[in-house]
Amino acid sequence: MTQERLWQVLDPSWADPRILSALLCGSAAAIVLLKRLGHRRIQQKMEEARRARDLALEQMEKAARRFKRENPGTQTAHILSLPMVELAEKLKEGSLSPESVLYSYMGKALEVTQEVNCVIDFIHGCEDQLQKVKKQKEKGLLYGIPISIKDHINCKGHVSSGGLVKLLGQVKEEDSVIVRVLKSQGAIPFVKTNIPQTMINYDCSNLIFGQTLNPLNHQKTPGGSSGGEGALIAGGGSILGIGSDVAGSIRLPSSFCGLCGLKPTGNRISKLGVVSPITGMYSVTGTLGPMARDVDSLALCMKALLCDEMFRLDPTLPPIPFDDEVYTSSKPLRIGYYEGDGYFQPSPSMKRAIQETRKLLQEAGHTLVPFAPPKIDYVVDELFTRGIFSDGAAHLVDCFKGDIVDPNLKSQFNTYRLPALVKRILAIILKPIYPRIARDLNALCGVG
C-alpha cells in the first residue's frame, strides 16, 4: 500500500512540462497575490492611524479654541515667551493659571505641527490631569508645566508605534514610569511627537505619519530620532520634552534645532514602559532625557525626575537624588575638552562652538585641559557598534516583517540584512579604499 502511494506521488505525469509550468505559474501568482494583500493591509493600518491622528488634533484644536473664546484676555504671547524656570515660578505663586499655560501651548503646538508635521497624537487625558494637578496639596517642581513626549514612551490610552505598523493598535493600559513621575511632580503631558521608523536613524521620517521638517529651515531635517521633540520645542510649541538617546537621538535634534538636550548616565532614568526595536542591549545603554530651550530647564526637569517616587516605581535604579549643591556651586572646575575625537570629522561650526565655550569657561575661572580620547577606533567599532548590533542586526531586521521600509532607511536596512559572509567579503574589498566603512561592515557582522 505504501509503495502504491509513493508511486502515485512519483507519477511520471508530474514530469510533464505543461503541468510543471502551470504549477510554477500558479505558485508565483499566489505569492504575488499574498504580497499585495499584505501590502494592502499595511496601507489600511497606516490610513487608520493617520485618521486617528487627525481626529486627535481636531479635538486638541477644539479644546484650545474653546478656552480662547471663554478667556479672551489670556496673554498667550507673553506665556509662550517665558523661560521655563520663570514660568514654573509664576505658576506656583498663582500669577499664571495652569489652564492659560496648557491651552496656550496647545494652540502653538497645532500651529507648529501644521508647518513641520511633528505632533502625532493629542494626549486627551491632559485636561483631567490639569484638574488633578490643581487639587494636589503640594505643588510639584513641574506644577502646571505642559510637556511633550516622544512617540515610543508609553502614555495610558495611547499607542507607542516606534514608527512601525506592527505596533499600531496596541493601546497602552498604563503610563510609563517617567510619565507617572512627571505627573506626580505636577507636569501635564499633552502631546506625543514623531520619530523615524525603528528610531535607528538620524532623520525623522516614517511611512505612517510622514516626514518631520526643521522649523528653522524647512529644507533641513530636525535630526533623529527625537526629531519630533526637537521640531516642536524649537518651533515654540512645547517648553519641555522627553526624548531618548543611544547614539545621539537627543543630542543631534537638539544641535540641529538650536536647543539644549541631555543624555543622562545610563540607568539614571527609568525606561520601564518604553517601546524599543532593539532589546537586550547591555554594553551600550539607551536612556531617556529632557530637551528644552536652556540648561536651567534641563536641570529643573532632572531635579524633578530624580525623586523618591521614581526610585520607588523602579527599584533597579540607584536611589541618588539630584545634587543641587554641586549644580549651584561656584567652585572652579577642571574640565577636559577636545575639538575632534580622531574618528568623526567635526564641522567648522562645531570647532568654533568648542573654542567659544572653552574661552567662556576660562574667563569664568575654570581650568580647561585638552585631551585625546584613547583607543577611539576600538571604542567605536568594537565596543559601540558591536554592542548595538551584537546579533548582526538580526532582531532589527525582524522588526520590519509585516511592514514597509521607509525610503530614508532603504540603504541602511539593505546593509543590515546582508548575510554576515557577504558583509565580511565587502569589508575586505572596501578596506583599502574606505577603511571606516569596512570596519562598520565587520562590526555589523555581530560578536563572534
Side-chain angles (χ1 to χ4, degrees), residues 176-182 264-274 285-289 302 304-322:
S176 55
V177 165
I178 192 169
V179 169
R180 291 167 68 181
V181 174
L182 288 168
T265 301
N267 300 317
R268 193 75 168 104
I269 303 294
S270 175
K271 297 193 293 290
L272 293 180
V274 175
T285 306
T287 184
L288 304 181
M302 289 299 292
L305 289 173
L306 299 173
C307 63
D308 291 340
E309 178 72 358
M310 176 168 282
F311 304 141
R312 182 185 66 81
L313 292 171
D314 189 349
T316 66
L317 301 175
I320 305 172
F322 185 90

Side-chain angles (χ1 to χ4, degrees), residues 72-364:
T74 302
Q75 296 179 320
T76 300
H78 172 66
I79 290 169
L80 297 174
S81 70
L82 292 173
M84 193 179 102
V85 172
E86 186 177 347
L87 179 65
E89 290 173 356
K90 289 184 178 296
L91 282 163
K92 281 189 178 180
E93 69 186 21
S95 60
L96 281 177
S97 70
E99 289 94 341
S100 64
V101 176
L102 175 62
Y103 291 105
S104 292
Y105 271 99
M106 268 194 205
K108 186 62 178 178
L110 285 164
E111 289 179 20
V112 175
T113 202
Q114 285 170 2
E115 289 184 15
V116 298
N117 186 39
C118 53
V119 175
I120 60 166
D121 202 0
F122 169 51
I123 301 176
H124 45 71
C126 67
E127 293 180 284
D128 292 335
Q129 172 64 11
L130 174 67
Q131 299 307 317
K132 289 180 182 177
V133 161
K134 292 176 67 178
K135 293 175 183 177
Q136 287 178 348
K137 292 181 180 179
E138 293 186 14
K139 294 179 180 179
L141 292 175
L142 298 175
Y143 173 76
I145 299 292
I147 293 185
S148 47
I149 305 292
K150 187 175 178 177
D151 166 280
H152 72 125
I153 300 170
N154 293 353
C155 294
K156 184 178 179 180
H158 297 267
V159 172
S160 298
S161 75
L164 293 163
V165 171
K166 65 191 295 182
L167 298 179
L168 293 176
Q170 298 181 21
V171 177
K172 301 305 175 183
E173 296 181 358
E174 61 180 24
D175 289 326
S176 55
V177 165
I178 192 169
V179 169
R180 291 167 68 181
V181 174
L182 288 168
K183 287 181 176 180
S184 73
Q185 288 284 11
I188 305 173
F190 75 112
V191 290
K192 298 193 81 176
T193 54
N194 204 24
I195 56 171
Q197 187 179 35
T198 74
M199 296 177 287
I200 310 296
N201 194 263
Y202 292 152
D203 193 7
C204 189
S205 169
N206 63 73
L207 293 177
I208 304 168
F209 301 114
Q211 173 79 51
T212 298
L213 306 176
N214 191 316
L216 307 180
N217 184 341
H218 292 182
Q219 303 302 313
K220 304 291 184 180
T221 176
S225 64
S226 308
E229 284 299 320
L232 183 62
I233 299 168
S238 176
I239 197 166
L240 178 66
I242 302 298
S244 61
D245 193 311
V246 173
S249 290
I250 286 174
R251 293 161 289 169
L252 281 163
S254 296
S255 173
F256 290 7
C257 297
L259 303 172
C260 294
L262 176 68
K263 178 190 179 185
T265 301
N267 300 317
R268 193 75 168 104
I269 303 294
S270 175
K271 297 193 293 290
L272 293 180
V274 175
V275 171
S276 174
I278 297 181
T279 57
M281 287 194 308
Y282 293 100
S283 59
V284 179
T285 306
T287 184
L288 304 181
M291 299 169 66
R293 300 173 196 166
D294 53 60
V295 173
D296 287 336
S297 301
L298 304 181
L300 181 59
C301 182
M302 289 299 292
K303 189 187 298 187
L305 289 173
L306 299 173
C307 63
D308 291 340
E309 178 72 358
M310 176 168 282
F311 304 141
R312 182 185 66 81
L313 292 171
D314 189 349
T316 66
L317 301 175
I320 305 172
F322 185 90
D323 196 332
D324 198 52
E325 183 179 347
V326 170
Y327 179 70
T328 57
S329 172
S330 58
K331 181 181 177 181
L333 301 173
R334 184 178 173 85
I335 302 168
Y337 77 96
Y338 55 84
E339 295 178 7
D341 60 13
Y343 192 97
F344 298 102
Q345 180 65 37
S347 66
S349 62
M350 290 178 183
K351 284 189 175 182
R352 185 172 65 252
I354 293 294
Q355 291 164 358
E356 291 178 359
T357 304
R358 173 182 57 77
K359 183 180 177 182
L360 289 169
L361 288 169
Q362 286 175 331
E363 290 174 354

